[in-house]
Amino acid sequence: MDKTDTVSENSVTLQENKSLYIIKIGGNVIDNSENLYRFLKDFEGLDGFKILVHGGGKVATQIAEELGIEAKMVDGRRITDIETLRVVTMVYGGLINKNIVAQLQRFGNNAIGLTGADGNFIRAKKRLVKTIDYGFVGDIDKDSINPENISRLIKAGFTPVFCALTHDGEGQLLNTNADTIASALAVSLSSLYKTTLIYCFEKKGVLQDINDEESLIREIDTIRYEELKAQHIIHSGMLPKLDNAFTAISCGVKAVIIGKSDDLGQLKENKPFGTRLSKNA
Amino acid sequence: MDKTDTVSENSVTLQENKSLYIIKIGGNVIDNSENLYRFLKDFEGLDGFKILVHGGGKVATQIAEELGIEAKMVDGRRITDIETLRVVTMVYGGLINKNIVAQLQRFGNNAIGLTGADGNFIRAKKRLVKTIDYGFVGDIDKDSINPENISRLIKAGFTPVFCALTHDGEGQLLNTNADTIASALAVSLSSLYKTTLIYCFEKKGVLQDINDEESLIREIDTIRYEELKAQHIIHSGMLPKLDNAFTAISCGVKAVIIGKSDDLGQLKENKPFGTRLSKNA
């Protein structure tokens, strides 16, 4: 890279209105090395700026078991005690994150693996104890992310790869839901980029009939969403996911796509991919 | 930060001849939370650009034991088999690295925790099998590090914190000695910065009498080094460390300081710290 490029790439305003993908993958991709390989190759192939956010996968549970740490549940909710936090710091922040980075580098993508503590990128507040003490779980809000801080990294030529860890700014790492991190990143970075948030999961997208993968709904805008809810086509499990997606859209995210990680390559080829959620035109 | 600052900070040539500290800490600092706290506070207080490199500590051995992974030794040398690599990826890249980053952020330092895979910062070659198969151990050479790549991160306002992991560029993480990483970083970045390489260890520096901490030698240049060797004052254990230091100096590093992590605060106050090795004036 010559000097002129460096200077122009690092000027804040020039990047405005460029597109940025924030893509979240979960355990279903991470746990299967073939799926992960294909996904990362497709991810690398996507044009433009991008951020990857990954969840945990089964390996965290396996390692915790091997270390004799029992999963603690209260009212069906997982508790992150100090021992569990150590495990997720090792597995999310170390094992999974750094192996993803090494793979992306193999494919020529200049990835950097991060927690929210790195670069002070995502600051969270330890969840207050009301009826349940969730332990070292961090909640994030609209002030948690400084978009220009992350943008400096992106503009320096790096692809951020975030795991599901944040920090409180006082030296404490915290466990934070990866879906929530992806959404917060997309909303925050909408002030600098045209952001598209992509959730990869095990289905092809939002299905008209949950048992028929061919009944994929390609596009849902805010009006159609209200119709689908009224017709009870959006079923209960999908409701919070889609509500969160439309909240992100109302906060500046250009579109949210829900699709299958195996199909990400279609996006690169400008073919339809998953279900695209957006504001009504 | 305003836009003008961003642009000027990211121009390559403006940073030339600025000073950069590369500081390496080992297990003796990492294993003691009070020592680590004090060291990181002093590290944060140092003016100018800086990079931290950290080794392992006892926790990797503990976790490996808890997971039932035996330390494999051949002819007194540790072997990094695939199971051991998983453990060090978790412990070095996750647990230790991210907790150091969270602490540095607490002190106001904008740290980013890294392996050599991140940003393709340190590429290594898996050690060839001759008489011993060391397993997933990476050796680095003069082409392993692209100084401008790391410089982009530094100039974007971040402090790199490296653990003792590299990658081969083909998706494989590798275990690499932290002293070697620190030295290679210092040599490579000497093309862009006035680099000072600091090794923190358990002694105050090079001692005239190994049993007398008060017999610290403050300065050793290349001529004095030959004299000390001829007088057998530099003892056998210290010899490879100092030989490596003078090699780094001959490759462009301005000075190498060997000192005690507890004393790093003295450097900030421009007081003598450790033993300073440099070219003869």
Side-chain angles (χ1 to χ4, degrees):
Chain A
M1 181 181 297
D2 70 35
K3 205 172 63 186
T4 325
D5 278 344
T6 310
V7 174
S8 64
E9 274 197 15
N10 284 292
S11 165
V12 170
T13 47
L14 290 186
Q15 305 304 320
E16 278 174 10
N17 292 318
K18 286 214 175 184
S19 66
L20 170 69
Y21 289 110
I22 293 104
I23 305 185
K24 189 257 166 178
I25 52 169
N28 61 314
V29 186
I30 294 163
D31 291 332
N32 181 314
S33 59
E34 277 178 40
N35 286 2
L36 184 60
Y37 180 94
R38 178 164 45 187
F39 168 80
L40 293 175
K41 211 161 175 5
D42 288 336
F43 177 83
E44 192 283 316
L46 279 180
D47 283 335
F49 296 124
K50 49 212 173 190
I51 293 176
L52 181 61
V53 182
H54 64 85
K58 286 182 193 149
V59 65
T61 313
Q62 283 166 3
I63 301 259
E65 275 175 18
E66 286 178 45
L67 291 171
I69 299 162
E70 275 178 54
K72 287 184 190 63
M73 310 292 278
V74 174
D75 289 352
R77 307 294 290 270
R78 182 182 287 268
I79 307 300
T80 306
D81 61 6
I82 192 72
E83 291 302 319
T84 305
L85 182 71
R86 276 167 62 94
V87 172
V88 296
T89 303
M90 292 196 293
V91 176
Y92 298 175
L95 192 61
I96 297 175
N97 189 267
K98 298 311 180 184
N99 275 297
I100 287 176
V101 166
Q103 291 296 325
L104 284 174
Q105 288 289 347
R106 168 193 197 175
F107 297 138
N109 181 289
N110 204 0
I112 288 195
L114 303 164
T115 67
D118 298 286
N120 194 24
F121 290 133
I122 311 170
R123 200 183 271 235
K125 290 194 178 78
K126 188 167 181 287
R127 189 171 297 169
L128 291 174
V129 179
K130 290 176 187 167
T131 50
I132 299 175
D133 182 358
Y134 288 95
F136 295 94
V137 168
D139 290 319
I140 54 185
D141 61 27
K142 64 179 178 50
D143 300 322
S144 292
I145 298 170
N146 177 341
E148 292 188 1
N149 205 14
I150 296 178
S151 186
R152 276 190 292 153
L153 193 67
I154 294 170
K155 285 180 290 183
F158 302 107
T159 300
V161 177
F162 281 99
C163 67
L165 292 165
T166 57
H167 77 138
D168 69 354
E170 301 294 325
Q172 182 63 58
L173 294 165
L174 295 166
N175 192 0
T176 298
N177 180 277
D179 280 11
T180 309
I181 287 177
S183 171
L185 284 168
V187 169
S188 170
L189 284 153
S190 291
S191 62
L192 297 174
Y193 300 88
K194 283 184 191 161
T195 56
T196 301
L197 171 61
I198 300 176
Y199 286 113
C200 292
F201 77 142
E202 65 278 11
K203 302 272 179 192
K204 282 194 169 181
V206 181
L207 304 177
Q208 190 97 20
D209 173 358
I210 181 80
N211 298 312
D212 179 7
E213 282 272 327
E214 298 310 308
S215 69
L216 178 66
I217 306 172
R218 287 283 177 201
E219 299 259 352
I220 306 177
D221 64 16
T222 40
I223 294 171
R224 180 108 169 89
Y225 184 48
E226 292 309 317
E227 291 170 0
L228 288 166
K229 280 199 287 190
Q231 295 162 24
H232 302 287
I233 289 170
I234 306 286
H235 65 96
S236 55
M238 214 52 190
L239 215 52
K241 217 179 191 69
L242 292 185
D243 276 344
N244 287 337
F246 279 104
T247 302
I249 289 164
S250 72
C251 293
V253 177
K254 197 180 130 212
V256 179
I257 302 174
I258 300 180
K260 199 168 187 166
S261 63
D262 290 358
D263 300 336
L264 188 70
Q266 296 179 341
L267 194 64
K268 184 189 160 193
E269 296 168 23
N270 282 317
K271 288 182 191 162
F273 163 66
T275 300
R276 191 175 185 279
L277 315 172
S278 61
K279 272 192 182 172
N280 47 306
Chain B
M1 180 182 296
D2 70 34
K3 203 171 64 186
T4 325
D5 278 346
T6 309
V7 173
S8 63
E9 274 197 15
N10 285 292
S11 166
V12 170
T13 47
L14 291 186
Q15 306 304 321
E16 276 175 11
N17 291 318
K18 286 211 175 185
S19 66
L20 170 70
Y21 289 111
I22 293 102
I23 305 185
K24 189 259 167 178
I25 52 170
N28 61 315
V29 185
I30 292 162
D31 291 333
N32 180 315
S33 59
E34 276 178 41
N35 286 3
L36 183 60
Y37 180 95
R38 178 164 46 189
F39 168 80
L40 293 175
K41 211 162 175 0
D42 288 338
F43 177 83
E44 190 283 317
L46 280 180
D47 283 334
F49 296 124
K50 49 209 174 193
I51 294 176
L52 181 61
V53 182
H54 64 84
K58 286 181 194 151
V59 66
T61 314
Q62 283 165 5
I63 302 259
E65 275 176 17
E66 287 178 45
L67 291 172
I69 299 162
E70 274 178 56
K72 288 184 190 62
M73 309 291 281
V74 174
D75 288 352
R77 307 293 292 268
R78 182 183 288 270
I79 306 300
T80 306
D81 61 6
I82 191 73
E83 290 302 318
T84 304
L85 181 71
R86 275 167 63 93
V87 171
V88 298
T89 303
M90 292 197 291
V91 176
Y92 299 174
L95 193 62
I96 297 174
N97 189 268
K98 298 310 179 183
N99 276 295
I100 286 176
V101 166
Q103 290 296 324
L104 284 174
Q105 288 289 347
R106 169 194 195 173
F107 298 138
N109 181 289
N110 205 0
I112 288 194
L114 303 163
T115 67
D118 299 286
N120 194 23
F121 290 132
I122 311 169
R123 200 183 271 236
K125 289 195 179 78
K126 187 168 181 289
R127 190 172 297 170
L128 291 175
V129 179
K130 290 176 187 167
T131 49
I132 300 176
D133 181 358
Y134 288 95
F136 295 94
V137 167
D139 290 319
I140 54 185
D141 61 27
K142 65 179 177 51
D143 299 321
S144 292
I145 298 171
N146 177 341
E148 291 188 2
N149 205 13
I150 297 179
S151 186
R152 277 191 291 152
L153 194 67
I154 294 170
K155 286 181 288 180
F158 301 107
T159 300
V161 176
F162 281 100
C163 67
L165 292 166
T166 57
H167 77 138
D168 70 354
E170 301 294 327
Q172 182 63 58
L173 294 166
L174 295 166
N175 192 2
T176 297
N177 179 277
D179 281 12
T180 310
I181 286 177
S183 172
L185 284 168
V187 168
S188 170
L189 284 153
S190 290
S191 63
L192 298 174
Y193 300 89
K194 284 185 189 160
T195 56
T196 302
L197 171 61
I198 300 176
Y199 286 112
C200 292
F201 78 140
E202 66 277 10
K203 302 272 182 193
K204 281 193 170 183
V206 181
L207 304 176
Q208 190 97 20
D209 173 359
I210 181 80
N211 297 312
D212 179 7
E213 282 273 325
E214 299 311 308
S215 69
L216 178 68
I217 305 173
R218 287 285 178 199
E219 300 258 353
I220 305 176
D221 64 15
T222 39
I223 293 171
R224 179 109 171 87
Y225 185 47
E226 293 308 319
E227 290 170 2
L228 288 166
K229 280 199 288 191
Q231 294 162 25
H232 303 288
I233 289 169
I234 306 284
H235 64 95
S236 55
M238 213 51 190
L239 216 52
K241 214 178 193 68
L242 292 185
D243 276 343
N244 287 337
F246 279 105
T247 302
I249 288 164
S250 72
C251 293
V253 177
K254 200 181 129 211
V256 179
I257 302 175
I258 299 180
K260 200 168 188 167
S261 62
D262 290 358
D263 300 337
L264 188 71
Q266 295 178 344
L267 194 64
K268 183 190 158 190
E269 296 168 24
N270 282 317
K271 289 182 189 163
F273 163 67
T275 300
R276 190 175 185 280
L277 315 171
S278 61
K279 272 192 180 169
N280 47 305

